[in-house]
Amino acid sequence: MSGSTSPMKSVQRSFDVIDVLWELDGAGPTEIAEEMDIPRSTAHVYLQTLQSTGYVVNTDGRYELSHAFLAMGSRLKHRNQIYQASQTALEELAAETGEVVTLIVEEAGRAVFLHIERGETAIELGLYSGITIPLYSHASGKTILSTLSEDRVDEIIDRHGLDSITSETITDRATLLEKLESVRADGYAVDWDQQIEGMGTIGVPIVVDEQLKGSIGIACPTERVKSESYQTELLNRLRETNETITIKYQYGT
Amino acid sequence: MSGSTSPMKSVQRSFDVIDVLWELDGAGPTEIAEEMDIPRSTAHVYLQTLQSTGYVVNTDGRYELSHAFLAMGSRLKHRNQIYQASQTALEELAAETGEVVTLIVEEAGRAVFLHIERGETAIELGLYSGITIPLYSHASGKTILSTLSEDRVDEIIDRHGLDSITSETITDRATLLEKLESVRADGYAVDWDQQIEGMGTIGVPIVVDEQLKGSIGIACPTERVKSESYQTELLNRLRETNETITIKYQYGT
DNA sequence: TATCTCATCCAAAATGGTCGAACATTTAAT
DNA sequence: ATTAAATGTTCGACCATTTTGGATGAGATA
């Protein structure tokens, strides 16, 4: 199993440079050199090289991250089959419910938000495409965990831990496994205040041919999701949408 | 001026690996090695290293590009002030006109699409956030060129050429400069079939404090944009939207 | 003009990337 | 089951490449 070789210091450094460029919102060799504690000339070579790749641009003396990241990220998103199958359905769901509608997939044991749609009454959550959060701290992620083997869940917990994010976050392995058990039985998950105070979430897993493809969810104020009737309504709409997506995924447009 | 050093072979190679991973939609060391004509062991080290950066993930033996690209790209987009100032206004414009509404910025002499909004009757153009196209082949790009010095325009033409994309593309420097002259005078640009056959575009430059920030545009079928009255209507709405954006950019929310 | 600061270039020194070969593991074939 | 082929992974020694201090030049500041 994991945990071994990771050489290529120069490659790792080049990504460190990218991180610093992000943090400083652009910089020259000197700033990079100071921030990373390397000689100026070294910083310069890295910037030159990154520029030659197109991921960094030099606008009159100032090096900045280019939009190659956005381009590659968007292409990856649009090529993703589950996104293709979901897009229009999610738009409709957001319009109907007025809430925040999300599509996540699992990657390296974490939840990646592939797409976010906002309805009229949607709350602002600071979500954006590509952001990753833990799987255990919200309904959508729990539905994904609920489809994985217990070994796999243990592996993910080992890798990422069960840190408390709010006072309501589940931080106990046994409690989480119990919760996942009931999610598995119900086919959906609901929770609130576990990832962000005041945010309630509902999620259902997208399963095609017994293969987990991702999860769609709705996020809204905790108070709203606590209402049994509203919860049921959202759940029904989520399930309808899920059905639409599953069919489109299997049989194309 | 430019054109010299480009060392860091290993860093450049690591981005070649990324390109190959995109093209092959994921691959193992052997495939990478064959595609790039390098030893398997070398390919392996690169993949391991890229994995350690988080930009590549290994899902049971298969290495794939991760959503770190999407995350970084989205963060860059959302941090961009002109995007922040434009977002809601563009949504409204797309809803009102029903067409494809775009926000572009200049980067390294090319047009980068920062955002695309689609209305009800929008045509499908295969656009996505981050995609880059030339500046001279569509109205929005021309409005950007029209605000640059002639030296700058020459420099851009030298760097990227004036290749013909469709039969209508302007491929002659003098013709382009003339066109830019009239765009500068009018404060907007209209053209059709120059980037994509059947697509007509209208654009206006976003200028704040005499500084060019980008350009907003509308894309629709050529036939529609050829109608004088419709063209005028779109132009008026574009100008209104531009005004809204400019004010928001200067004075915040 | 003189004095900074900073980006860029250069060439010597040693670190670390490269690559062949061996090992481990999975897949396919017999 | 057993064998063979293919692929992922590890290892170590050589030498190409990265690294780095110092030189150069451009641009800003006083």
Side-chain angles (χ1 to χ4, degrees), chain A residues 36-206:
Chain A
M36 294 180 62
D37 200 34
I38 56 175
R40 272 196 300 233
S41 48
T42 304
H44 181 253
V45 182
Y46 276 91
L47 290 170
Q48 290 272 329
T49 307
L50 286 171
Q51 180 179 211
S52 79
T53 69
Y55 281 86
V56 165
V57 287
N58 183 341
T59 315
D60 35 58
R62 186 170 192 75
Y63 292 87
E64 294 182 345
L65 296 181
S66 83
H67 290 290
F69 289 96
L70 185 58
M72 180 63 86
S74 297
R75 288 197 297 262
L76 285 166
K77 171 175 174 173
H78 285 265
R79 182 162 73 177
N80 191 303
Q81 296 199 37
I82 197 62
Y83 169 70
Q84 287 178 22
S86 306
Q87 194 193 1
T88 53
L90 294 179
E91 250 176 62
E92 283 169 25
L93 184 58
E96 281 170 21
T97 62
E99 304 288 5
V100 175
V101 172
T102 56
L103 167 67
I104 66 167
V105 295
E106 180 262 344
E107 186 177 270
R110 293 180 46 96
V112 178
F113 282 79
L114 246 199
H115 193 63
I116 300 107
E117 284 282 346
R118 274 172 240 282
E120 290 285 337
T121 58
I123 50 177
E124 178 52 51
L125 296 168
L127 294 177
Y128 53 86
S129 289
I131 189 177
T132 60
I133 65 173
L135 285 166
Y136 63 89
S137 59
H138 56 117
S140 228
K142 289 196 185 88
T143 68
I144 288 183
L145 286 174
S146 78
T147 68
L148 304 177
S149 69
E150 195 168 323
D151 281 358
R152 195 66 215 297
V153 174
D154 282 344
E155 192 187 316
I156 290 173
I157 294 175
D158 287 344
R159 172 135 60 131
H160 300 290
L162 288 176
D163 295 334
S164 97
I165 302 164
T166 71
S167 59
E168 296 302 312
T169 313
I170 294 174
T171 55
D172 176 66
R173 179 182 298 225
T175 310
L176 178 61
L177 292 179
E178 260 176 56
K179 175 72 180 176
L180 294 183
E181 190 68 39
S182 74
V183 170
R184 200 172 302 126
D186 296 341
Y188 73 95
V190 185
D191 57 30
W192 48 79
D193 302 341
Q194 296 190 11
Q195 168 69 26
I196 298 176
E197 305 263 16
M199 175 185 75
T201 61
I202 303 188
V204 296
I206 308 174

Side-chain angles (χ1 to χ4, degrees), chain B:
Chain B
M1 193 109 289
S2 70
S4 50
T5 47
S6 61
M8 306 257 98
K9 201 169 147 187
S10 61
V11 174
Q12 292 184 327
R13 268 195 180 177
S14 69
F15 281 88
D16 291 343
V17 171
I18 287 171
D19 286 344
V20 172
L21 281 176
W22 160 254
E23 279 157 22
L24 301 181
D25 198 5
T30 303
E31 287 175 83
I32 297 286
E34 281 174 7
E35 189 74 20
M36 295 180 62
D37 200 35
I38 55 175
R40 275 198 303 246
S41 51
T42 304
H44 181 255
V45 186
Y46 276 91
L47 289 170
Q48 290 273 325
T49 307
L50 287 171
Q51 181 178 211
S52 80
T53 68
Y55 282 85
V56 165
V57 287
N58 183 341
T59 315
D60 36 56
R62 186 171 192 75
Y63 292 86
E64 295 180 344
L65 296 180
S66 84
H67 290 290
F69 288 97
L70 185 58
M72 181 62 88
S74 297
R75 288 197 296 263
L76 285 166
K77 171 176 173 172
H78 285 265
R79 183 163 70 179
N80 190 302
Q81 295 199 39
I82 197 64
Y83 169 71
Q84 287 178 23
S86 306
Q87 194 195 2
T88 53
L90 295 179
E91 251 175 63
E92 282 168 26
L93 184 58
E96 279 171 21
T97 62
E99 305 288 5
V100 175
V101 173
T102 57
L103 168 67
I104 67 167
V105 295
E106 181 263 343
E107 186 176 88
R110 295 183 39 98
V112 178
F113 282 80
L114 245 200
H115 192 63
I116 299 107
E117 283 284 346
R118 274 171 240 281
E120 290 285 337
T121 58
I123 50 177
E124 179 54 49
L125 296 169
L127 294 175
Y128 53 86
S129 289
I131 190 177
T132 60
I133 65 173
L135 285 166
Y136 63 89
S137 60
H138 55 116
S140 228
K142 288 197 187 90
T143 67
I144 287 183
L145 286 175
S146 78
T147 67
L148 303 178
S149 70
E150 195 167 322
D151 281 357
R152 197 64 216 297
V153 174
D154 281 344
E155 191 187 317
I156 291 174
I157 294 176
D158 286 343
R159 172 133 62 131
H160 301 291
L162 287 177
D163 295 334
S164 98
I165 302 165
T166 71
S167 59
E168 296 301 314
T169 313
I170 294 174
T171 56
D172 176 66
R173 179 182 297 227
T175 311
L176 179 61
L177 291 179
E178 259 177 55
K179 175 71 180 173
L180 294 183
E181 189 67 39
S182 75
V183 169
R184 201 172 302 127
D186 297 341
Y188 74 96
V190 186
D191 57 30
W192 48 78
D193 303 340
Q194 297 192 7
Q195 167 70 25
I196 298 178
E197 305 263 15
M199 175 185 75
T201 62
I202 302 187
V204 296
I206 308 174
V207 178
V208 182
D209 291 334
E210 303 193 339
Q211 286 266 316
L212 175 74
K213 300 298 178 184
S215 168
I216 55 173
I218 294 178
C220 65
T222 296
E223 35 180 312
R224 265 186 242 160
V225 86
K226 275 182 173 170
S227 148
E228 282 278 345
S229 61
Y230 190 58
Q231 197 181 110
T232 308
E233 188 193 327
L234 290 183
L235 180 59
N236 285 335
R237 289 197 189 270
L238 257 183
R239 283 178 161 154
E240 279 170 36
T241 303
N242 198 14
E243 186 68 18
T244 307
I245 292 171
T246 306
I247 291 169
K248 187 164 180 183
Y249 187 95
Q250 287 184 91
Y251 306 110
T253 312

